[in-house]
Amino acid sequence: MEENNNLNRKLTTASGRPYAEHENTQSVGSRGPLLLQDFILHEKMAHFNRERIPERVVHAKGTGAYGTFKVTHDITAYTKAKIFSAIGNTCKVFLRFSTVGGEKGSADTERDPRGFAVKFYTEDGNWDIVGNNTPVFFVKDPKKFSDFIHTQKRDPRTNLKSANMMWDFWSLNPESLHQVMILMSDRGTPFSYRHMDGFGSHTYSFIDKDNQRVWVKFHFKTQQGIKNFTAPEADQMRTTDMDHAQRDLVDAIDSGDFPKWTLKIQVMTEAEAKTFRWNPFDLTKVWPHAEFPLIEVGELELNELPRNYFAHVEQAAFAPSNLIDGVGFSPDRMLQGRILSYADAQRHRLGVNFQQIPVNTCPFMVNNFHRDGQMRVDGNGEDHPNYYPNSYGDIAPDMSYKEPAQELDSNVADWYNRNEGPGDNDHYTQAGDLYRKALSPQDRINLVNNIVGAMSGINGPKRDKIVNLQLCHFFRADIQLGMAVAKGLNVDVEQAMATPH
């Protein structure tokens, strides 16, 4: 067949069906939950999860440790989760830290978000909070995720990291600006895993004993204090010790200097969510602490290193779908996409029975009708029925765990542009506030220098377009930021501001 050189070729599924919506997932109303019938989302995420074997597609380089979580404050007004039923309750935890974009052999000090994934081994099952060291992310719809990660990996032609790919994507997706500014600040190069905060990032829900729902965000505040490398310091450590963060954690725990984090939450009522000036389920936005203050919950301590890295850290499998009674989902689009993709990634990477691996096994009761599959290592249900309902066994649903119904704002299913709903199209206010209010004068200088250094790698015939478009985003966030970056790149400001967008 003759090669098709038409530059306007139709976008199709793997089976050849043309389709129109590559960036927005079908939902019930502009803020409602996503629909399982949007098979494009499934195809993109399922294919993405299988692109690399056997290391993780993202978060490949990491370390982890066991520890303990202890409840120190009463939050039973918000959730009926048994772990929070009394002050002093404890459970075992496993926490895995990681870098996001690099391969297993990459350096710990790369400029990159850091994964912060916690597994709570509770009596009501394992509960996973799978987050990062940042409260926001680069995209707000899961259809965008694989495209974004491709820009952080290697160029398909050169097999090199590409500034063109990264900044081209960011310049065409202004929703990324908030996270880009965090990444380009010194927060993008933490000194160690012990000296950074962790965030659940997504909006989740709490359900109380009366089946009332509130929305919630999780924050893990380091008790060791925030400590970051500057860009030159990170570069120097990369040449000195590529495993600096891994070594720092091992040395601290081995010496009895157990790292600790304070778990805090933010709470928003359903009524407040309907009137909040931004979409409260938008992963590129934060909830201001002045309006939704942090509420202390408990303390997490890491005090035990795994005796075998591969058995525990490499085979640890986290998924946002691992919830417990009293904790639920929200219409956060990225969270809804991860409910599918993370568990699917673990089944691909470790096999369908990955939750029988010791680090992933619930230490309490597990009863289900799953049978067979690769690497089944328990009794495989022995001679008990493998179907339900049946007349022979005693496994049955417990209706006391039923979640309350969720009232939806719409009964119209369509593909809604993620950036055109009320409260969804402001990509600049929070990014500007970050620059003006959250960063010190020296932090702002370092941010500009880091941006200029990263954008200086953009080259080729599209350079001016990419640079000028990204500068427009910086100008909209803060005029002084835009001016400083433009000056560092020797760009004519009037030309940059005139770039079509």
Side-chain angles (χ1 to χ4, degrees):
M1 181 179 295
E2 186 174 310
E3 182 178 354
N4 183 359
N5 290 319
N6 183 357
L7 295 179
N8 295 315
R9 292 176 294 172
K10 293 179 180 178
L11 179 66
T12 74
T13 66
S15 64
R17 173 182 171 174
Y19 65 95
E21 279 292 347
H22 188 72
E23 296 186 275
N24 300 296
T25 303
Q26 193 177 31
S27 61
V28 182
S30 63
R31 293 190 179 182
L34 306 184
L35 297 187
L36 188 64
Q37 70 186 31
D38 193 337
F39 62 94
I40 303 299
L41 169 63
H42 299 172
E43 178 172 307
K44 289 187 69 175
M45 295 308 301
H47 183 92
F48 178 66
N49 282 338
R50 291 161 174 79
E51 285 184 1
R52 288 172 178 81
I53 298 174
E55 75 175 31
R56 289 172 169 86
V57 179
V58 288
H59 299 277
K61 176 75 182 292
T63 189
Y66 288 100
T68 304
F69 174 73
K70 181 178 181 179
V71 177
T72 59
H73 290 71
D74 183 7
I75 59 167
T76 54
Y78 305 115
T79 177
K80 60 183 176 181
K82 290 180 182 177
I83 180 62
F84 301 121
S85 62
I87 293 175
N89 279 1
T90 64
C91 73
K92 186 176 181 179
V93 298
F94 183 81
L95 200 163
R96 184 177 185 270
F97 307 98
S98 56
T99 52
V100 176
E103 298 90 351
K104 285 181 63 177
S106 58
D108 284 351
T109 54
E110 296 289 349
R111 183 169 301 282
D112 204 4
R114 301 303 194 268
F116 194 103
V118 187
K119 187 180 295 291
F120 298 81
Y121 301 95
T122 86
E123 60 182 299
D124 253 355
N126 291 351
W127 172 30
D128 293 352
I129 298 181
V130 190
N132 287 323
N133 69 326
T134 60
V136 296
F137 195 62
F138 297 92
V139 293
K140 62 174 73 176
D141 191 292
K143 274 189 182 175
K144 303 284 294 175
F145 184 70
S146 57
D147 293 299
F148 162 66
I149 293 297
H150 284 163
T151 71
Q152 307 302 297
K153 293 291 187 177
R154 296 181 178 273
D155 183 283
R157 184 180 73 86
T158 66
N159 197 40
L160 299 171
K161 294 294 185 73
S162 169
N164 285 39
M165 290 166 55
M166 287 190 292
W167 289 102
D168 185 34
F169 182 88
W170 289 335
S171 71
L172 295 170
N173 288 274
E175 69 200 74
S176 299
L177 183 63
H178 195 179
Q179 175 75 320
V180 168
M181 288 181 59
I182 295 175
L183 176 66
M184 289 295 150
S185 74
D186 289 343
R187 300 186 195 185
T189 49
F191 175 82
S192 75
Y193 295 131
R194 295 184 300 124
H195 292 90
M196 68 182 195
D197 291 341
F199 301 87
S201 302
H202 296 289
T203 300
Y204 290 87
S205 58
F206 269 168
I207 300 166
D208 69 13
K209 59 182 175 55
D210 298 318
N211 271 348
Q212 299 300 305
R213 179 185 284 109
V214 294
W215 307 118
V216 62
K217 284 184 178 289
F218 299 105
H219 302 247
F220 295 87
K221 310 299 288 185
T222 177
Q223 295 185 18
Q224 290 68 240
I226 296 292
K227 187 177 181 181
N228 298 313
F229 282 123
T230 63
E233 290 170 343
D235 290 341
Q236 177 60 42
M237 182 55 71
R238 189 183 301 116
T239 66
T240 303
D241 185 359
M242 293 183 64
D243 302 314
H244 171 262
Q246 165 88 14
R247 196 178 315 280
D248 177 85
L249 184 69
V250 170
D251 289 348
I253 295 178
D254 274 347
S255 66
D257 182 15
F258 302 140
K260 298 178 181 180
W261 287 260
T262 302
L263 173 60
K264 298 184 178 183
I265 59 172
Q266 287 179 289
V267 173
M268 181 185 293
T269 66
E270 291 184 310
E272 288 172 325
K274 292 180 179 178
T275 60
F276 190 49
R277 59 191 176 281
W278 293 296
N279 180 350
F281 312 114
D282 181 346
L283 187 55
T284 66
K285 305 289 193 302
V286 297
W287 299 355
H289 291 186
E291 298 172 63
F292 304 95
L294 295 176
I295 301 169
E296 189 164 340
V297 178
E299 182 178 86
L300 187 155
E301 176 186 277
L302 297 182
N303 49 37
E304 179 188 348
L305 290 171
R307 296 184 65 183
N308 184 277
Y309 179 91
F310 179 85
H312 298 264
V313 181
E314 193 63 22
Q315 292 193 114
F318 300 87
S321 52
N322 290 341
L323 293 182
I324 55 175
D325 188 42
V327 183
F329 300 124
S330 82
D332 181 328
R333 289 183 170 216
M334 283 297 294
L335 173 59
Q336 296 245 326
R338 294 177 82 202
I339 293 169
L340 165 76
S341 65
Y342 270 60
D344 180 62
Q346 307 298 5
R347 295 184 188 103
H348 165 63
R349 190 173 68 90
L350 298 171
V352 70
N353 291 307
F354 70 91
Q355 299 203 78
Q356 295 179 29
I357 298 171
V359 66
N360 304 318
T361 300
C362 174
F364 301 94
M365 178 181 63
V366 175
N367 295 308
N368 55 54
F369 298 97
H370 299 325
R371 296 292 188 271
D372 308 339
Q374 185 180 27
M375 295 301 293
R376 186 86 195 200
V377 297
D378 63 358
N380 196 32
E382 297 177 336
D383 60 350
H384 302 297
N386 62 351
Y387 60 94
Y388 180 86
N390 66 76
S391 303
Y392 305 97
D394 58 358
I395 300 174
D398 183 342
M399 297 308 294
S400 68
Y401 286 87
K402 180 177 173 61
E403 288 192 10
Q406 182 177 342
E407 182 178 344
L408 303 178
D409 294 333
S410 174
N411 60 2
V412 179
D414 203 350
W415 288 270
Y416 295 87
N417 189 307
R418 68 197 180 282
N419 292 324
E420 290 186 355
D424 287 325
N425 60 357
D426 178 3
H427 310 302
Y428 305 108
T429 298
Q430 292 196 359
D433 286 344
L434 172 71
Y435 181 75
R436 291 183 294 271
K437 301 176 182 179
L439 301 181
S440 70
Q442 186 59 53
D443 289 336
R444 291 195 288 270
I445 292 172
N446 292 352
L447 170 67
V448 170
N449 290 339
N450 295 339
I451 292 172
V452 170
M455 292 186 68
S456 295
I458 305 171
N459 54 39
K462 299 291 185 180
R463 179 191 179 278
D464 289 348
K465 176 183 177 182
I466 295 171
V467 169
N468 291 342
L469 186 54
Q470 184 61 45
L471 280 174
C472 285
H473 300 322
F474 289 134
F475 275 116
R476 288 182 175 86
D478 185 275
I479 190 70
Q480 298 302 321
L481 170 63
M483 294 291 289
V485 175
K487 180 179 179 181
L489 292 171
N490 296 315
V491 171
D492 183 284
V493 173
E494 292 185 5
Q495 177 185 352
M497 294 292 284
T499 298
H501 54 276

